[in-house]
Amino acid sequence: MFRRTASSTKERSFLHVIKLVSPFVMVVVLQAAIAGFSLEVMSSVRAYVAGEALWSRSQKNAVYFLNLYLHSGDKSQFAQYQASLAVPIGDEFARWALEGDTVDVEAARIGFLQGGNHPDDVPGLIWLFRYFNRVSFLQEAIHEWAATDPMLLELSVFGEVIRSELEKSPVQDSGRLRFLSSRLSELNAQFTVHANRFSTVLGEGSRAIKVTLTCINIATAATLILLLIWHTRRLVLQRQAFEDALHDEKERLAWQASHDWLTGLANRRAFEARLQSELDDNATGSLGLILLDLDQFKNVNDSCGHLAGDRLLCQVSSLLQQDRRPHDLVARLGGDEFGLILPQCSPANAVEIAERLRRSLELFSFAWDERLFAVTASIGVTCIADRNTTLEDAMRRADAACYRAKEKGRNRVQVDTAGADVVLVAGRRREIAAAQGW
């Protein structure tokens, strides 16, 4: 049994360690993947820049050697022209192989090799073209590249025409020579324009990629640093979090002990504690005390069920809190009975507050299942100037006033007269309430 427990503990410890280090491992792996991707992209872009230089130079050389051959008829210069022209034509074939509906990777590889690209660079050239040709800078570069296709075709045809003419007659007409030479110059100028644009776009793109990839790598490194900070902080705060949880639980239990679970108002226990505190206080000024009973609560409960009754109590609770002063206390004492403690409140002001509550309830209608219920309340008010009054006496006086409000027809405010018959009236109230089910 002990061995199994020890083994289970070790397993849990191992899993805990894995859980702790797994975020760091993932970030490091991500960092390595991004770094590898960055190197691959930069290597492929560098290969395109190198290939563009060779492509551009070969086009110029093809025009140059064909022009020399035109004037000299030297076949070695024609051979140099053909060798130079083969480079951009090879690149052209590679691009066609990658642009087609069916990508021919092998044909593209042969074309790029014919274009003079290094064999180690060819896979990167193909990869970048296939998967990133929609990127703006590469798309624009490919457009400039493709724009030279008609010129390459014309240069190739020119070469065959010039060779055919020179083989027939080595001596050329001066006007014909000037025309052909002029056209070659025009082709060279057009090649130069597109080559310069191609080179510029590739340069701008490579710089943008460098900045982007640098930012990504910095962001990943920063993420790793932040993760380390977060993890360290997490470890430091674990104990405090545990202590805070205990404190919150204590506060929750304390709140539950002093508040009504349904309405969130103070409960009878908290109400009586606050009332006793106010009575023990030597502050000047009278203390207002209001007890309020709903008149139609039993009707709602009996006809619509307890869920409707609970909803009515919650809505009434919200209504009672709307006009209260910051230091007043509103509590649900039980059932449909509510109480208000009004510190430093004159009798006139207490009556005004009670009447305002009565009117608010009278104007309020409770809706349930497309039925409307009028809501009224019987309210008892007492004001205590003598702080030697006991809590029981204060509650009996307010309770007796509330009962008189019900006895006189309900939906009214009754002020306590503090007479000698308070205890007797309160006793009668309890007897009648028990008989009628209030």
Side-chain angles (χ1 to χ4, degrees), residues 4 56 62 65 91 101 105 123 141 159 161 172-173 176 195 197 203 230-231 242 256 303 316 371 381 398 400 425:
R4 286 200 300 270
S56 176
F65 286 118
D91 290 332
D101 294 335
V105 175
V161 169
Q172 291 288 319
D173 176 74
R176 177 69 171 168
R197 289 177 182 169
W230 169 80
H231 184 65
F242 177 72
Q256 288 180 343
S303 60
V316 168
R371 296 176 62 184
V381 181
V425 172

PDB file of all heavy atoms in Angstrom, residues 4 56 62 65 91 101 105 123 141 159 161 172-173 176 195 197 203 230-231 242 256 303 316 371 381 398 400 425:
ATOM      1  N   ARG A   4       2.523   1.740  -3.400  1.00  0.00           N
ATOM      2  CA  ARG A   4       1.592   2.285  -4.394  1.00  0.00           C
ATOM      3  C   ARG A   4       1.373   3.775  -4.167  1.00  0.00           C
ATOM      4  O   ARG A   4       1.316   4.575  -5.104  1.00  0.00           O
ATOM      5  CB  ARG A   4       0.250   1.547  -4.327  1.00  0.00           C
ATOM      6  CG  ARG A   4       0.303   0.151  -4.911  1.00  0.00           C
ATOM      7  CD  ARG A   4      -1.102  -0.321  -5.259  1.00  0.00           C
ATOM      8  NE  ARG A   4      -1.958  -0.351  -4.077  1.00  0.00           N
ATOM      9  CZ  ARG A   4      -2.099  -1.405  -3.285  1.00  0.00           C
ATOM     10  NH1 ARG A   4      -1.400  -2.509  -3.533  1.00  0.00           N
ATOM     11  NH2 ARG A   4      -2.918  -1.366  -2.251  1.00  0.00           N
ATOM     12  N   SER A  56      19.025  39.268 -65.331  1.00  0.00           N
ATOM     13  CA  SER A  56      19.164  40.585 -65.950  1.00  0.00           C
ATOM     14  C   SER A  56      20.455  40.689 -66.760  1.00  0.00           C
ATOM     15  O   SER A  56      20.458  41.184 -67.895  1.00  0.00           O
ATOM     16  CB  SER A  56      19.129  41.657 -64.855  1.00  0.00           C
ATOM     17  OG  SER A  56      19.341  42.934 -65.393  1.00  0.00           O
ATOM     18  N   ALA A  62      22.887  38.792 -73.959  1.00  0.00           N
ATOM     19  CA  ALA A  62      22.320  38.239 -75.188  1.00  0.00           C
ATOM     20  C   ALA A  62      22.182  39.338 -76.240  1.00  0.00           C
ATOM     21  O   ALA A  62      22.532  39.134 -77.424  1.00  0.00           O
ATOM     22  CB  ALA A  62      20.974  37.592 -74.892  1.00  0.00           C
ATOM     23  N   PHE A  65      25.900  40.414 -77.423  1.00  0.00           N
ATOM     24  CA  PHE A  65      26.598  39.493 -78.327  1.00  0.00           C
ATOM     25  C   PHE A  65      25.878  39.362 -79.662  1.00  0.00           C
ATOM     26  O   PHE A  65      26.518  39.176 -80.705  1.00  0.00           O
ATOM     27  CB  PHE A  65      26.746  38.117 -77.669  1.00  0.00           C
ATOM     28  CG  PHE A  65      27.783  38.084 -76.581  1.00  0.00           C
ATOM     29  CD1 PHE A  65      27.431  37.790 -75.266  1.00  0.00           C
ATOM     30  CD2 PHE A  65      29.120  38.367 -76.869  1.00  0.00           C
ATOM     31  CE1 PHE A  65      28.386  37.773 -74.270  1.00  0.00           C
ATOM     32  CE2 PHE A  65      30.082  38.340 -75.863  1.00  0.00           C
ATOM     33  CZ  PHE A  65      29.716  38.047 -74.561  1.00  0.00           C
ATOM     34  N   ASP A  91      14.686  30.318 -66.939  1.00  0.00           N
ATOM     35  CA  ASP A  91      13.851  30.873 -65.861  1.00  0.00           C
ATOM     36  C   ASP A  91      12.397  30.991 -66.291  1.00  0.00           C
ATOM     37  O   ASP A  91      11.479  30.767 -65.498  1.00  0.00           O
ATOM     38  CB  ASP A  91      14.389  32.247 -65.446  1.00  0.00           C
ATOM     39  CG  ASP A  91      15.720  32.159 -64.717  1.00  0.00           C
ATOM     40  OD1 ASP A  91      15.969  31.124 -64.080  1.00  0.00           O
ATOM     41  OD2 ASP A  91      16.503  33.114 -64.781  1.00  0.00           O
ATOM     42  N   ASP A 101      -1.951  24.957 -64.261  1.00  0.00           N
ATOM     43  CA  ASP A 101      -2.964  24.337 -63.411  1.00  0.00           C
ATOM     44  C   ASP A 101      -2.385  23.153 -62.651  1.00  0.00           C
ATOM     45  O   ASP A 101      -2.732  22.899 -61.502  1.00  0.00           O
ATOM     46  CB  ASP A 101      -4.153  23.884 -64.254  1.00  0.00           C
ATOM     47  CG  ASP A 101      -4.898  25.063 -64.871  1.00  0.00           C
ATOM     48  OD1 ASP A 101      -4.812  26.171 -64.297  1.00  0.00           O
ATOM     49  OD2 ASP A 101      -5.536  24.884 -65.921  1.00  0.00           O
ATOM     50  N   VAL A 105       7.006  20.316 -60.741  1.00  0.00           N
ATOM     51  CA  VAL A 105       8.174  20.688 -59.953  1.00  0.00           C
ATOM     52  C   VAL A 105       9.465  20.288 -60.655  1.00  0.00           C
ATOM     53  O   VAL A 105      10.446  21.036 -60.637  1.00  0.00           O
ATOM     54  CB  VAL A 105       8.084  20.038 -58.557  1.00  0.00           C
ATOM     55  CG1 VAL A 105       9.355  20.307 -57.755  1.00  0.00           C
ATOM     56  CG2 VAL A 105       6.865  20.554 -57.811  1.00  0.00           C
ATOM     57  N   PRO A 123      15.354  24.462 -54.641  1.00  0.00           N
ATOM     58  CA  PRO A 123      14.162  24.121 -53.830  1.00  0.00           C
ATOM     59  C   PRO A 123      13.518  25.341 -53.176  1.00  0.00           C
ATOM     60  O   PRO A 123      12.293  25.453 -53.106  1.00  0.00           O
ATOM     61  CB  PRO A 123      14.724  23.150 -52.778  1.00  0.00           C
ATOM     62  CG  PRO A 123      15.929  22.551 -53.416  1.00  0.00           C
ATOM     63  CD  PRO A 123      16.534  23.649 -54.245  1.00  0.00           C
ATOM     64  N   ALA A 141       6.867  41.413 -58.517  1.00  0.00           N
ATOM     65  CA  ALA A 141       8.119  41.000 -59.148  1.00  0.00           C
ATOM     66  C   ALA A 141       7.850  39.995 -60.264  1.00  0.00           C
ATOM     67  O   ALA A 141       8.457  40.070 -61.355  1.00  0.00           O
ATOM     68  CB  ALA A 141       9.053  40.399 -58.097  1.00  0.00           C
ATOM     69  N   GLY A 159      17.526  36.654 -83.445  1.00  0.00           N
ATOM     70  CA  GLY A 159      18.775  35.922 -83.597  1.00  0.00           C
ATOM     71  C   GLY A 159      18.745  34.980 -84.774  1.00  0.00           C
ATOM     72  O   GLY A 159      19.721  34.898 -85.548  1.00  0.00           O
ATOM     73  N   VAL A 161      16.785  35.203 -87.430  1.00  0.00           N
ATOM     74  CA  VAL A 161      16.700  35.995 -88.668  1.00  0.00           C
ATOM     75  C   VAL A 161      18.077  36.524 -89.062  1.00  0.00           C
ATOM     76  O   VAL A 161      18.498  36.448 -90.227  1.00  0.00           O
ATOM     77  CB  VAL A 161      15.697  37.148 -88.490  1.00  0.00           C
ATOM     78  CG1 VAL A 161      15.795  38.129 -89.660  1.00  0.00           C
ATOM     79  CG2 VAL A 161      14.281  36.605 -88.368  1.00  0.00           C
ATOM     80  N   GLN A 172      26.083  43.025 -95.206  1.00  0.00           N
ATOM     81  CA  GLN A 172      24.726  43.522 -94.973  1.00  0.00           C
ATOM     82  C   GLN A 172      24.565  44.940 -95.494  1.00  0.00           C
ATOM     83  O   GLN A 172      25.499  45.740 -95.506  1.00  0.00           O
ATOM     84  CB  GLN A 172      24.411  43.506 -93.468  1.00  0.00           C
ATOM     85  CG  GLN A 172      24.272  42.095 -92.885  1.00  0.00           C
ATOM     86  CD  GLN A 172      22.995  41.431 -93.327  1.00  0.00           C
ATOM     87  OE1 GLN A 172      21.935  42.056 -93.380  1.00  0.00           O
ATOM     88  NE2 GLN A 172      23.114  40.156 -93.701  1.00  0.00           N
ATOM     89  N   ASP A 173      23.320  45.220 -95.890  1.00  0.00           N
ATOM     90  CA  ASP A 173      22.964  46.576 -96.288  1.00  0.00           C
ATOM     91  C   ASP A 173      23.044  47.482 -95.062  1.00  0.00           C
ATOM     92  O   ASP A 173      22.590  47.128 -93.980  1.00  0.00           O
ATOM     93  CB  ASP A 173      21.550  46.572 -96.874  1.00  0.00           C
ATOM     94  CG  ASP A 173      21.089  47.974 -97.227  1.00  0.00           C
ATOM     95  OD1 ASP A 173      21.566  48.516 -98.236  1.00  0.00           O
ATOM     96  OD2 ASP A 173      20.291  48.509 -96.435  1.00  0.00           O
ATOM     97  N   ARG A 176      19.786  48.253 -93.406  1.00  0.00           N
ATOM     98  CA  ARG A 176      19.271  47.084 -92.693  1.00  0.00           C
ATOM     99  C   ARG A 176      20.008  46.902 -91.364  1.00  0.00           C
ATOM    100  O   ARG A 176      19.400  46.606 -90.340  1.00  0.00           O
ATOM    101  CB  ARG A 176      19.467  45.839 -93.583  1.00  0.00           C
ATOM    102  CG  ARG A 176      19.041  44.520 -92.936  1.00  0.00           C
ATOM    103  CD  ARG A 176      17.564  44.457 -92.774  1.00  0.00           C
ATOM    104  NE  ARG A 176      17.135  43.121 -92.355  1.00  0.00           N
ATOM    105  CZ  ARG A 176      15.919  42.831 -91.907  1.00  0.00           C
ATOM    106  NH1 ARG A 176      15.018  43.804 -91.809  1.00  0.00           N
ATOM    107  NH2 ARG A 176      15.592  41.603 -91.581  1.00  0.00           N
ATOM    108  N   ALA A 195      13.897  44.909 -65.732  1.00  0.00           N
ATOM    109  CA  ALA A 195      14.900  44.350 -64.820  1.00  0.00           C
ATOM    110  C   ALA A 195      15.095  45.259 -63.607  1.00  0.00           C
ATOM    111  O   ALA A 195      15.222  44.787 -62.465  1.00  0.00           O
ATOM    112  CB  ALA A 195      16.215  44.141 -65.543  1.00  0.00           C
ATOM    113  N   ARG A 197      12.884  47.362 -62.358  1.00  0.00           N
ATOM    114  CA  ARG A 197      11.692  47.257 -61.515  1.00  0.00           C
ATOM    115  C   ARG A 197      11.709  45.948 -60.727  1.00  0.00           C
ATOM    116  O   ARG A 197      11.372  45.909 -59.545  1.00  0.00           O
ATOM    117  CB  ARG A 197      10.435  47.338 -62.375  1.00  0.00           C
ATOM    118  CG  ARG A 197      10.170  48.720 -62.952  1.00  0.00           C
ATOM    119  CD  ARG A 197       8.951  48.689 -63.846  1.00  0.00           C
ATOM    120  NE  ARG A 197       8.684  49.991 -64.467  1.00  0.00           N
ATOM    121  CZ  ARG A 197       7.810  50.183 -65.454  1.00  0.00           C
ATOM    122  NH1 ARG A 197       7.128  49.142 -65.929  1.00  0.00           N
ATOM    123  NH2 ARG A 197       7.622  51.381 -65.957  1.00  0.00           N
ATOM    124  N   GLY A 203      14.176  44.019 -53.775  1.00  0.00           N
ATOM    125  CA  GLY A 203      14.901  44.674 -52.686  1.00  0.00           C
ATOM    126  C   GLY A 203      13.961  45.168 -51.604  1.00  0.00           C
ATOM    127  O   GLY A 203      14.198  44.955 -50.407  1.00  0.00           O
ATOM    128  N   TRP A 230       5.575  35.787 -15.796  1.00  0.00           N
ATOM    129  CA  TRP A 230       4.250  35.358 -15.335  1.00  0.00           C
ATOM    130  C   TRP A 230       4.353  34.124 -14.448  1.00  0.00           C
ATOM    131  O   TRP A 230       3.695  34.039 -13.410  1.00  0.00           O
ATOM    132  CB  TRP A 230       3.374  35.065 -16.545  1.00  0.00           C
ATOM    133  CG  TRP A 230       2.086  34.367 -16.189  1.00  0.00           C
ATOM    134  CD1 TRP A 230       0.948  34.934 -15.701  1.00  0.00           C
ATOM    135  CD2 TRP A 230       1.831  32.958 -16.256  1.00  0.00           C
ATOM    136  NE1 TRP A 230      -0.003  33.969 -15.471  1.00  0.00           N
ATOM    137  CE2 TRP A 230       0.507  32.757 -15.802  1.00  0.00           C
ATOM    138  CE3 TRP A 230       2.579  31.858 -16.668  1.00  0.00           C
ATOM    139  CZ2 TRP A 230      -0.071  31.495 -15.760  1.00  0.00           C
ATOM    140  CZ3 TRP A 230       2.009  30.605 -16.615  1.00  0.00           C
ATOM    141  CH2 TRP A 230       0.705  30.424 -16.169  1.00  0.00           C
ATOM    142  N   HIS A 231       5.200  33.176 -14.869  1.00  0.00           N
ATOM    143  CA  HIS A 231       5.329  31.945 -14.110  1.00  0.00           C
ATOM    144  C   HIS A 231       5.926  32.230 -12.722  1.00  0.00           C
ATOM    145  O   HIS A 231       5.462  31.689 -11.714  1.00  0.00           O
ATOM    146  CB  HIS A 231       6.217  30.968 -14.876  1.00  0.00           C
ATOM    147  CG  HIS A 231       6.334  29.627 -14.212  1.00  0.00           C
ATOM    148  ND1 HIS A 231       5.261  28.781 -14.053  1.00  0.00           N
ATOM    149  CD2 HIS A 231       7.399  29.003 -13.651  1.00  0.00           C
ATOM    150  CE1 HIS A 231       5.659  27.683 -13.427  1.00  0.00           C
ATOM    151  NE2 HIS A 231       6.950  27.793 -13.183  1.00  0.00           N
ATOM    152  N   PHE A 242      -4.115  31.556  -2.125  1.00  0.00           N
ATOM    153  CA  PHE A 242      -4.749  30.627  -1.196  1.00  0.00           C
ATOM    154  C   PHE A 242      -5.306  31.372   0.020  1.00  0.00           C
ATOM    155  O   PHE A 242      -6.432  31.123   0.459  1.00  0.00           O
ATOM    156  CB  PHE A 242      -3.725  29.582  -0.753  1.00  0.00           C
ATOM    157  CG  PHE A 242      -4.253  28.607   0.255  1.00  0.00           C
ATOM    158  CD1 PHE A 242      -5.161  27.633  -0.123  1.00  0.00           C
ATOM    159  CD2 PHE A 242      -3.849  28.679   1.579  1.00  0.00           C
ATOM    160  CE1 PHE A 242      -5.656  26.730   0.812  1.00  0.00           C
ATOM    161  CE2 PHE A 242      -4.340  27.782   2.516  1.00  0.00           C
ATOM    162  CZ  PHE A 242      -5.244  26.803   2.136  1.00  0.00           C
ATOM    163  N   GLN A 256     -23.445  35.615   4.164  1.00  0.00           N
ATOM    164  CA  GLN A 256     -24.614  34.734   4.224  1.00  0.00           C
ATOM    165  C   GLN A 256     -25.268  34.782   5.600  1.00  0.00           C
ATOM    166  O   GLN A 256     -26.496  34.669   5.722  1.00  0.00           O
ATOM    167  CB  GLN A 256     -24.203  33.294   3.905  1.00  0.00           C
ATOM    168  CG  GLN A 256     -23.866  33.073   2.440  1.00  0.00           C
ATOM    169  CD  GLN A 256     -23.459  31.636   2.168  1.00  0.00           C
ATOM    170  OE1 GLN A 256     -23.124  30.890   3.079  1.00  0.00           O
ATOM    171  NE2 GLN A 256     -23.483  31.250   0.898  1.00  0.00           N
ATOM    172  N   SER A 303     -52.070  31.720  -5.882  1.00  0.00           N
ATOM    173  CA  SER A 303     -52.583  31.601  -7.246  1.00  0.00           C
ATOM    174  C   SER A 303     -51.499  31.325  -8.289  1.00  0.00           C
ATOM    175  O   SER A 303     -51.776  30.714  -9.323  1.00  0.00           O
ATOM    176  CB  SER A 303     -53.344  32.881  -7.632  1.00  0.00           C
ATOM    177  OG  SER A 303     -52.477  34.013  -7.559  1.00  0.00           O
ATOM    178  N   VAL A 316     -39.906  43.886  -5.083  1.00  0.00           N
ATOM    179  CA  VAL A 316     -40.229  44.826  -4.001  1.00  0.00           C
ATOM    180  C   VAL A 316     -38.951  45.261  -3.288  1.00  0.00           C
ATOM    181  O   VAL A 316     -38.783  46.434  -2.928  1.00  0.00           O
ATOM    182  CB  VAL A 316     -41.221  44.178  -3.013  1.00  0.00           C
ATOM    183  CG1 VAL A 316     -41.343  45.013  -1.741  1.00  0.00           C
ATOM    184  CG2 VAL A 316     -42.585  44.012  -3.674  1.00  0.00           C
ATOM    185  N   ARG A 371     -50.676  37.939 -16.167  1.00  0.00           N
ATOM    186  CA  ARG A 371     -51.602  38.449 -15.151  1.00  0.00           C
ATOM    187  C   ARG A 371     -50.930  39.595 -14.409  1.00  0.00           C
ATOM    188  O   ARG A 371     -49.723  39.579 -14.183  1.00  0.00           O
ATOM    189  CB  ARG A 371     -51.966  37.340 -14.160  1.00  0.00           C
ATOM    190  CG  ARG A 371     -52.716  36.172 -14.793  1.00  0.00           C
ATOM    191  CD  ARG A 371     -52.948  35.059 -13.776  1.00  0.00           C
ATOM    192  NE  ARG A 371     -53.782  35.514 -12.658  1.00  0.00           N
ATOM    193  CZ  ARG A 371     -54.062  34.767 -11.603  1.00  0.00           C
ATOM    194  NH1 ARG A 371     -53.570  33.534 -11.514  1.00  0.00           N
ATOM    195  NH2 ARG A 371     -54.817  35.251 -10.628  1.00  0.00           N
ATOM    196  N   VAL A 381     -44.899  52.997  11.451  1.00  0.00           N
ATOM    197  CA  VAL A 381     -43.763  53.897  11.677  1.00  0.00           C
ATOM    198  C   VAL A 381     -43.696  54.254  13.147  1.00  0.00           C
ATOM    199  O   VAL A 381     -44.724  54.592  13.768  1.00  0.00           O
ATOM    200  CB  VAL A 381     -43.904  55.188  10.841  1.00  0.00           C
ATOM    201  CG1 VAL A 381     -42.706  56.102  11.068  1.00  0.00           C
ATOM    202  CG2 VAL A 381     -44.067  54.862   9.369  1.00  0.00           C
ATOM    203  N   ALA A 398     -43.314  49.376  16.510  1.00  0.00           N
ATOM    204  CA  ALA A 398     -43.436  49.421  15.051  1.00  0.00           C
ATOM    205  C   ALA A 398     -44.383  48.334  14.562  1.00  0.00           C
ATOM    206  O   ALA A 398     -45.173  48.535  13.625  1.00  0.00           O
ATOM    207  CB  ALA A 398     -42.052  49.261  14.408  1.00  0.00           C
ATOM    208  N   ALA A 400     -46.900  47.004  16.216  1.00  0.00           N
ATOM    209  CA  ALA A 400     -48.271  47.384  16.545  1.00  0.00           C
ATOM    210  C   ALA A 400     -48.802  48.414  15.559  1.00  0.00           C
ATOM    211  O   ALA A 400     -49.966  48.354  15.133  1.00  0.00           O
ATOM    212  CB  ALA A 400     -48.321  47.939  17.971  1.00  0.00           C
ATOM    213  N   VAL A 425     -52.214  45.468  21.641  1.00  0.00           N
ATOM    214  CA  VAL A 425     -52.519  45.492  20.216  1.00  0.00           C
ATOM    215  C   VAL A 425     -51.632  44.518  19.457  1.00  0.00           C
ATOM    216  O   VAL A 425     -52.065  43.803  18.552  1.00  0.00           O
ATOM    217  CB  VAL A 425     -52.365  46.927  19.655  1.00  0.00           C
ATOM    218  CG1 VAL A 425     -52.485  46.920  18.136  1.00  0.00           C
ATOM    219  CG2 VAL A 425     -53.409  47.831  20.263  1.00  0.00           C
TER     220      VAL A 425
END
